[in-house]
Amino acid sequence: MTAPARPFEHDGIAFGCDYNPEQWTTDVWDEDIRLMGEAGVDLVAVNIFGWSHIEPREGEYDFRALDDIIGRLHAAGIRVNLGTGTASPPAWLARRHPEILPMAEDGTRRFPGGRQAWCPSSPVFRAAALRLVEAVAGRYGDHPAVALWHVSNELGCHNALCHCDESAAAFRRWLEARYVTLDALNAAWGTAFWSQTYGEWDEILPPRATISTRNPGQMLDFHRFSSDELLAYYRAEADAIRPLSTVPITTNFMVTAHIENLDYWSWAGDMDIVANDHYLDHRLADPNAELAFAADLSRGLGGGAPWILMEHSTGAVNWQPLNKPKTPGEIIRNSLTHVARGADGVCFFQWRASVQGSEKFHSAMLPHAGTDSAVWREVVELGGIIGRIGELAGSRVEAQVALVFSWESWWATQTESRPSQSLGYLDQVHAAYGALHALGLTVDVVAPGADLSVYSLVVVPGLHLIRQSEATVLTDWIAAGGSAVVTFYSGIVDQDDRVWTGGYTGPLRDALGVRVEEFAPVAAGETLRLSDGATSTLWSERSHVTTAVAEASFVDGPSAGSPAITRNAWGRGTAWYVATLLEADALRALLGRVAAEAGVRPPAAVRGGDGALEIVRRRGADASYLFVVNHGDAAAVAEASGFELITGMPVAGDVDVPGGAVRIIREEAAA
Ligand code: GLA
């Protein structure tokens, strides 16, 4: 990745929040700004949902309140992360132009009354939004408080896939640009199947609800189109800002568990700094591992450059089936885990808890209970820590391991007809990442086809869709001496969702030394036994080794006798293949063994901690910083020497990390 056109510069690690002053009277603003000072907040996002306030009627702007709040923040020394205000259209726009409203796949429109009710392809919406952006950027583009532009908000959170006629026309234009001829499109989508051949471009629709399953090639391209369409929208806002302001521009990504619609690999290069929103997902087995994964992926999107955690929570969210508060110390541990993994900014949604609206039960920095609360005290404590660790801003995370992640594989895996409805792409990613996380290994998340030369170990979970060129990068890297672990359902289809024939794993087959003939998934709850004593679930396959050695085979189940774990010498390297979902302990043991053989180690030796530690090193120009986060109750000791930034104490040899604590050691030069 090239250096951002406009670097985001900040004194230390930014500490901030979304702030929605529209919800409060000006006497509350005074208290807010005073308390922001008490907490050490220095970057505040405003005007994210500002549209109906600053343009109450079409073409009539009223910036008095926004002028006032930006002026007050500036006077208090707080920098502004300025929303363009377009995240949610005002009621007058939807009333006058109902055609901007998004359409679900069943052809029904979604009404206003929530948020983000706009079609990404609507020219009417875009024109209205860009008029607003020009007005906002014209007014505040060179305001000294403005440090960052916050385009819209979580683009595609609700409206990524629109099926209206406007979207259909835009989809056709996108397809014509991609395929040029209908013959090429028909070939790519395999429309010979079920008499789906198109004779005119106008016959093509978005994948609206059908009476049977839909064309998977069409659905894959609709995902690509929808991601590109919102990126084009982002670019239009950024293009409107650029002539009016020299301030860096970004938008907040949603690199979290369940948001799959945007291929951020194609977006990231447009951001002056990558920004991500992350919320712990308590539906997952290991929310902390998923947090670490999301942070590593956010860093990966920027090619390793520092990024900003634009939103997370001080406690419960309001959108999971059960919304849990954080445990004591968890706000600090979560925040510093993001920093350990490359964040140079820690911001929350939101500053003051709303008392009305859909998010009134969402936590905030200043909770309903006020300042006499554990949340507020921990926020203030965190602000103090952020203030003390500013020197590490700009440093970069060191990793020996890469994990290959692909939104295209996510889309292609979760097509309507698949070998098992229980097969989920993220489940495999989380299983592999979770094992590496439990081993204390630092992981860079990379795109398929990325340069792997700096890594010692590459893990490829369920990379269902793979181009020949991407496979070649991986297999050449293995041949040159690398160690790779590939897991099942990798190498199944090409970029058009066309099956690689001759035995799965297609273009990875020779390097893996295994030929898979048939998938044999197993029912939920069914456990498979392997010859090495391990167990597994979900998946087996009927295969045989060609050049690989079977390290374990299926003892029972539909693939009894077939290899389950194989190892193949490929050139000067080693290619492992795992044909089932290993139980967590077995996967950890396997990856631990491969990592040790490849010379991969955790960043520091630790004792104790009961497996609940995260250890990451960031390296700067003048010093390196070792982070040790103790998520558990058991005390731990890390081997490090230097100066501990949180306690402000020199450390030599052993650093105590009590249960629940975080330690950040500026290491002596020898590290
Ligand atoms: C997202 C949005 C915020 C808010 C939070 C709640 O991150 O950007 O406006 O809705 O979710 O968790």
Side-chain angles (χ1 to χ4, degrees), residues 49 87-89 101-105 110-111 114-120 152-163 230 254 258-262 264 318-319 358-359:
F49 295 100
S88 212
L101 296 170
M103 184 178 277
E105 61 179 26
R110 289 297 172 261
F111 291 100
R115 68 173 177 184
Q116 212 175 56
W118 51 274
C119 159
S152 192
N153 187 59
E154 291 193 341
L155 285 161
C157 178
H158 311 284
N159 67 346
L161 306 179
C162 177
H163 296 73
L230 277 167
M254 298 163 286
H258 298 288
I259 304 283
E260 68 180 81
N261 288 322
L262 305 177
Y264 288 127
N318 64 326
W319 43 263
S358 294
E359 294 183 327

Side-chain angles (χ1 to χ4, degrees), residues 49 115 153-154 252 277 279 311 317 319 349 359 362:
F49 295 100
R115 68 173 177 184
N153 187 59
E154 291 193 341
N252 44 346
D277 295 349
Y279 293 93
E311 295 180 21
V317 298
W319 43 263
F349 176 85
E359 294 183 327
H362 193 292

Side-chain angles (χ1 to χ4, degrees), residues 200-272:
E200 303 275 348
W201 289 100
D202 284 348
E203 293 164 2
I204 302 170
L205 294 171
R208 291 180 180 153
T210 52
I211 203 158
S212 68
T213 49
R214 290 168 277 190
N215 181 308
Q218 178 189 11
M219 295 188 76
L220 179 61
D221 269 346
F222 190 62
H223 271 294
R224 291 180 174 129
F225 154 77
S226 299
S227 177
D228 285 358
E229 198 70 348
L230 277 167
L231 175 57
Y233 176 82
Y234 172 85
R235 287 177 174 158
E237 282 211 21
D239 287 348
I241 294 168
R242 252 181 232 112
L244 299 168
S245 175
T246 57
V247 168
I249 307 168
T250 192
T251 190
N252 44 346
F253 289 174
M254 298 163 286
V255 176
T256 66
H258 298 288
I259 304 283
E260 68 180 81
N261 288 322
L262 305 177
D263 182 351
Y264 288 127
W265 291 126
S266 64
W267 282 57
D270 277 73
M271 305 297 126
D272 286 328

Side-chain angles (χ1 to χ4, degrees), residues 340-414:
R341 294 177 185 280
D344 271 4
V346 172
C347 303
F348 290 90
F349 176 85
Q350 62 176 327
W351 165 252
R352 180 184 280 270
S354 300
V355 290
Q356 292 179 293
S358 294
E359 294 183 327
K360 65 181 181 295
F361 294 126
H362 193 292
S363 59
M365 295 173 89
L366 184 56
H368 291 150
T371 54
D372 186 8
S373 61
V375 165
W376 174 254
R377 283 186 282 276
E378 195 168 322
V379 163
V380 172
E381 187 184 344
L382 173 63
I385 294 171
I386 297 282
R388 294 201 290 286
I389 64 173
E391 64 178 73
L392 61 80
S395 58
R396 292 195 171 216
V397 173
E398 288 183 341
Q400 293 177 280
V401 184
L403 182 145
V404 179
F405 180 81
S406 157
W407 274 275
E408 287 187 318
S409 271
W410 191 349
W411 301 334
T413 299
Q414 314 225 155

